């Protein structure tokens, strides 16, 4: 299962790169359009209970994330057609759908890796260089948690709250993004270490309108191991 | 009618203690209403009143066996929260109205306590002022969402749906080609909205025509001077408990069973006082 996730991640990377290349050309060579597919979760749907219910995990993964992927693929197909025809107004018109659905795919792909069952280390505080970086940037882990929870609760509408790494400045930041905007829309050098989905679909069935409770509890299943890996890769 | 001991009367309405059901409706159709007026009706008559479309003009809460009706300008208490079943569950209304809507109201009141410069505005004015031409003040979200939810509850009724009355239908056919086309546009807008927001059928004052409008988060067409006729809440909290991610079903249920074309007619009639929709047909003698 882990292998499949890896391949999908590479595919995602490739897809994004080739898209960037294509947009620079006025015409393009015949090429097979990359389609994206739903990555498997590294754990069962019920593995994060009682913090996040199995029902939410299943809907979130099989319906919401899948819908973003389906619509992302559709938008990319339409983009390819429009580019081939030189139809600039359609190309530009599709950008919001690509940003929304592509962003949704990116964000949720990170999110599944940000979560981990308690018995697999979910919730265990970060050690090593990320732990020190948190203390340096925020004073303590508690302060960081409080900061993120405050930002997440105050976010109006739908969006995400992130712990990000500015890889240029080697600084940790807390940021929020609206709707499905990926963290990189807040800064080209920002790399997501942890993201928390605060769209209502992420918690409503269980926590109803009490988003602060969801935020308080989700730390029990946050995967600091993954965050540390990403951090250490960018800041060796 | 008796006044229950559980109800409050504002001093300004002491003289209006003897109300009939007609006068309740009459009062709520006025403009600057800030009265609390309480009555006791038995539960059966109250339910009958709701079925006749009075629900959203009156608010109530149960006080023992008697139903106490209180009229509020700014807060809508859903009279009987299972009235919209099975299309919008009691559970949803309890939370949507009781927690979300109430939360916005309480948040707004708290903000207004600390901000004297916003004193004295009506809800409409407050929303427009705090929108601040697109650079919203911190009070905007709460104010707009209070306004939006008031409008939304009034956009629905038990036994709603079907097709609009003659006048509204004619205008829809004029501006959309057909009612079916309007339906399609409305549904499409609901399904293509990114993130949280609202779908509106509104009268665009400059273009002098009806249009389907999408807004994000708490924005409402009144900030642009347009006149909303019907709204649908597309925030996930509005439908998630009843429909989970099935937005298609939610929107269709709304259009088929909940939307209050009565409310739309009243709003269109009022809108025509502000927007000239065409020359009157004066019969030739």
């Amino acid at each position: 299962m882990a292998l499949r996730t890896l391949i999908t991640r590479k595919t995602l990377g490739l897809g994004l790169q080739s898209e960037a290349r294509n947009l620079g050309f006025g015409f393009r060579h015949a090429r097979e359009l990359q389609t994206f597919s739903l990555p498997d979760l590294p754990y069962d749907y019920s593995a994060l209970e009682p913090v996040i219910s199995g029902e939410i995990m299943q809907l979130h993964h099989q319906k919401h994330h899948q819908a973003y992927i389906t619509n992302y693929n559709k938008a990319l197909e339409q983009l390819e057609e429009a580019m081939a025809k030189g139809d600039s107004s359609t190309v530009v018109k599709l950008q919001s759908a690509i940003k929304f659905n592509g962003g949704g795919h990116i964000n949720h792909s990170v999110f599944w890796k940000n979560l981990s069952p308690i018995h697999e280390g979910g919730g265990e505080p970060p050690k090593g260089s990320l732990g020190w970086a948190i203390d340096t940037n925020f004073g303590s882990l508690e302060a960081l948690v409080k900061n993120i929870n405050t930002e997440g609760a105050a976010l109006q509408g739908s969006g995400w709250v992130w712990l990000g790494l500015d890889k240029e400045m080697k600084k940790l930041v807390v940021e929020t993004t609206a709707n499905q905007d990926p963290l990189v829309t807040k800064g080209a050098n920002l790399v997501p270490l942890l993201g928390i989905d605060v769209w209502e679909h992420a918690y409503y069935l269980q926590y109803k309108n009490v988003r602060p409770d969801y935020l308080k509890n989700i730390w029990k299943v946050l995967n600091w191991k993954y965050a540390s890996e990403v951090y250490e890769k960018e800041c060796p | 009618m008796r006044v229950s001991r559980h109800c409050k009367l504002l001093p300004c309405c002491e003289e209006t203690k003897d109300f009939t059901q007609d006068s309740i409706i009459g009062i709520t159709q006025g403009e600057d209403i800030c009265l609390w007026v309480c009555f006791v009706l038995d539960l059966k008559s109250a339910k009958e009143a709701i079925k006749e479309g009075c629900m959203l003009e009156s608010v109530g809460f149960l006080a023992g066996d008697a139903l106490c009706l209180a009229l509020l300008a700014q807060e809508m208490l859903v009279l009987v929260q299972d009235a919209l079943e099975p299309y919008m569950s009691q559970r949803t209304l309890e939370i949507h109205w009781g927690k979300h809507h109430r939360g916005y109201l309480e948040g707004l009141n708290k903000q207004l306590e600390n901000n004297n410069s916003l004193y004295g505005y009506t809800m409409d004015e407050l929303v427009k002022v705090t929108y601040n031409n697109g650079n919203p003040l911190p009070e905007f979200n709460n104010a707009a969402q209070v306004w939006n939810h008031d409008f939304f509850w009034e956009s629905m009724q038990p036994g709603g749906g079907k097709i609009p009355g003659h006048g509204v239908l004619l205008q829809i056919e004029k501006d959309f080609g057909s009612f079916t086309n309007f339906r399609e546009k409305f549904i499409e807008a609901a399904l293509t909205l990114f993130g949280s927001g609202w779908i509106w059928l509104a009268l665009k004052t400059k273009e002098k025509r009806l249009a389907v409008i999408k807004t994000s988060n708490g924005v409402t067409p009144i900030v642009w001077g347009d006149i909303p006729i019907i709204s649908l809440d597309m925030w996930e909290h509005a439908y998630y408990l009843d429909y989970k991610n099935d937005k298609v079903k939610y929107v269709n249920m709304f259009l088929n069973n909940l939307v209050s074309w009565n409310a739309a007619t009243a709003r269109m009639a009022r809108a025509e006082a502000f927007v000239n929709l065409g020359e009157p047909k004066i019969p030739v003698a």
Side-chain angles (χ1 to χ4, degrees), chain A residues 55 64 100 158 200-201 204, chain B residues 100 194 196 236-237 240 244:
Chain A
E55 189 187 17
H64 290 273
F100 181 67
S158 308
E200 284 170 331
H201 64 239
Y204 207 77
Chain B
H100 290 274
F194 293 151
S196 308
E236 285 175 327
H237 64 239
Y240 214 79
K244 311 252 177 5

Side-chain angles (χ1 to χ4, degrees), chain B residues 14 53 60 68 76 83 116 132 138 151 167 180 236 265 270 281:
Chain B
E14 289 287 6
C68 185
M76 303 296 287
N116 284 322
N132 196 24
F151 190 85
T180 313
E236 285 175 327
T265 303
R270 191 172 171 278
K281 288 194 179 64

Side-chain angles (χ1 to χ4, degrees), chain A residues 5 26 34 38 76 84 104-106 112 129 132 166 197 203 210:
Chain A
T5 318
Q34 201 87 63
L38 188 64
L76 288 178
H105 176 46
I106 295 171
W112 308 135
S129 54
W132 300 331
D166 184 331
D197 190 349
Y203 60 87
V210 196

Side-chain angles (χ1 to χ4, degrees), chain B residues 60-260:
Chain B
F61 46 90
L62 287 166
D65 290 336
L67 195 68
C68 185
L69 287 177
L71 296 166
L72 293 157
Q74 295 183 21
E75 184 175 322
M76 303 296 287
L77 297 173
V78 175
L79 186 52
V80 179
Q81 289 177 2
D82 61 356
L84 300 178
E85 293 260 11
Y87 311 108
M88 191 173 280
S89 67
Q90 178 170 350
R91 188 95 182 93
T92 293
L93 283 175
E94 273 170 14
I95 301 177
H96 197 176
W97 168 75
K99 307 272 179 185
H100 290 274
H101 187 178
R102 191 193 295 279
Y104 289 124
L105 187 66
E106 288 172 357
L108 178 63
N109 283 337
K110 224 180 281 168
Q111 284 174 317
L112 292 178
E113 265 170 32
N114 299 326
N115 189 345
N116 284 322
S117 67
L118 294 175
Y119 180 78
Y121 286 115
T122 63
M123 270 316 289
D124 274 35
E125 289 168 349
L126 189 62
V127 169
K128 287 186 236 192
V129 160
T130 52
Y131 182 68
N132 196 24
N133 284 313
N135 215 345
L137 305 179
E139 293 84 353
F140 174 72
N141 192 54
N142 284 328
Q145 284 291 76
V146 168
W147 194 99
N148 289 332
H149 283 89
D150 282 347
F151 190 85
F152 179 51
W153 305 132
E154 290 184 17
S155 299
M156 296 189 287
Q157 66 175 86
K162 303 174 198 73
I163 52 169
H166 190 62
V168 174
L169 184 59
L170 277 183
Q171 190 69 39
I172 287 180
E173 286 173 346
K174 178 157 169 266
D175 295 330
F176 290 95
S178 66
F179 183 67
T180 313
N181 195 31
F182 152 70
R183 256 193 80 103
E184 273 173 25
K185 288 263 169 330
F186 194 86
I187 296 175
E188 191 203 334
L191 300 180
T192 55
L193 175 68
F194 293 151
S196 308
W198 301 78
I199 307 298
W200 309 82
L201 171 63
L203 182 61
K204 296 197 67 76
T205 43
K206 289 201 197 70
E207 293 91 322
K208 302 196 205 301
R209 47 168 300 144
L210 290 173
V212 169
I213 300 180
K214 288 193 248 194
T215 59
S216 288
N217 292 355
V219 178
T220 150
I222 67 169
V223 304
W224 302 306
D226 291 331
I227 303 178
I229 304 297
I230 286 289
S231 78
L232 176 60
D233 192 349
M234 288 306 293
W235 283 62
E236 285 175 327
H237 64 239
Y239 60 87
Y240 214 79
L241 293 179
D242 295 334
Y243 298 97
K244 311 252 177 5
N245 66 306
D246 197 343
K247 290 197 277 193
V248 176
K249 198 158 167 224
Y250 169 59
V251 186
N252 275 292
M253 284 297 197
F254 171 79
L255 286 173
N256 295 339
N257 302 292
L258 289 177
V259 64
S260 172

Side-chain angles (χ1 to χ4, degrees), chain A residues 60-216:
Chain A
H60 205 172
H61 182 243
Q62 282 182 357
K63 301 280 176 179
H64 290 273
H65 190 175
Q66 179 63 66
Y68 289 122
I69 290 174
T70 307
N71 291 330
Y72 181 41
N73 285 332
K74 198 164 67 170
L76 288 178
E77 216 181 283
Q78 291 172 331
L79 177 68
E80 202 190 24
E81 269 175 47
M83 288 186 340
K85 288 192 272 184
D87 182 355
S88 297
S89 65
T90 304
V91 168
V92 173
K93 203 168 61 163
L94 286 167
Q95 297 308 308
S96 62
I98 290 173
K99 181 177 176 194
F100 181 67
N101 292 297
H105 176 46
I106 295 171
N107 293 337
H108 286 87
S109 301
V110 173
F111 189 50
W112 308 135
K113 291 185 245 170
N114 281 160
L115 301 170
S116 181
I118 297 174
H119 62 82
E120 284 177 31
E124 258 176 45
K127 306 172 190 74
S129 54
L130 179 57
W132 300 331
I134 288 176
D135 288 344
T136 313
N137 281 266
F138 299 99
S140 66
L141 181 60
E142 289 74 41
L144 171 64
V145 170
K146 194 152 168 258
N147 190 335
I148 288 183
N149 287 350
T150 308
E151 293 289 322
L155 192 148
Q156 288 166 8
S158 308
W160 292 74
V161 59
W162 305 93
L163 170 64
L165 166 67
D166 184 331
K167 55 185 180 179
E168 280 290 299
M169 310 285 285
K170 302 284 191 242
K171 258 186 65 168
L172 293 178
V173 294
V174 168
E175 276 291 352
T176 56
T177 55
N179 297 340
Q180 291 298 350
D181 294 356
L183 180 60
V184 75
T185 56
K186 280 286 173 96
N189 295 314
L190 294 180
V191 175
L193 300 178
L194 282 181
I196 301 179
D197 190 349
V198 290
W199 280 64
E200 284 170 331
H201 64 239
Y203 60 87
Y204 207 77
L205 292 177
Q206 200 177 341
Y207 293 93
K208 311 290 184 312
N209 64 305
V210 196
R211 194 194 280 176
D213 277 359
Y214 161 68
L215 288 168
K216 205 169 56 173

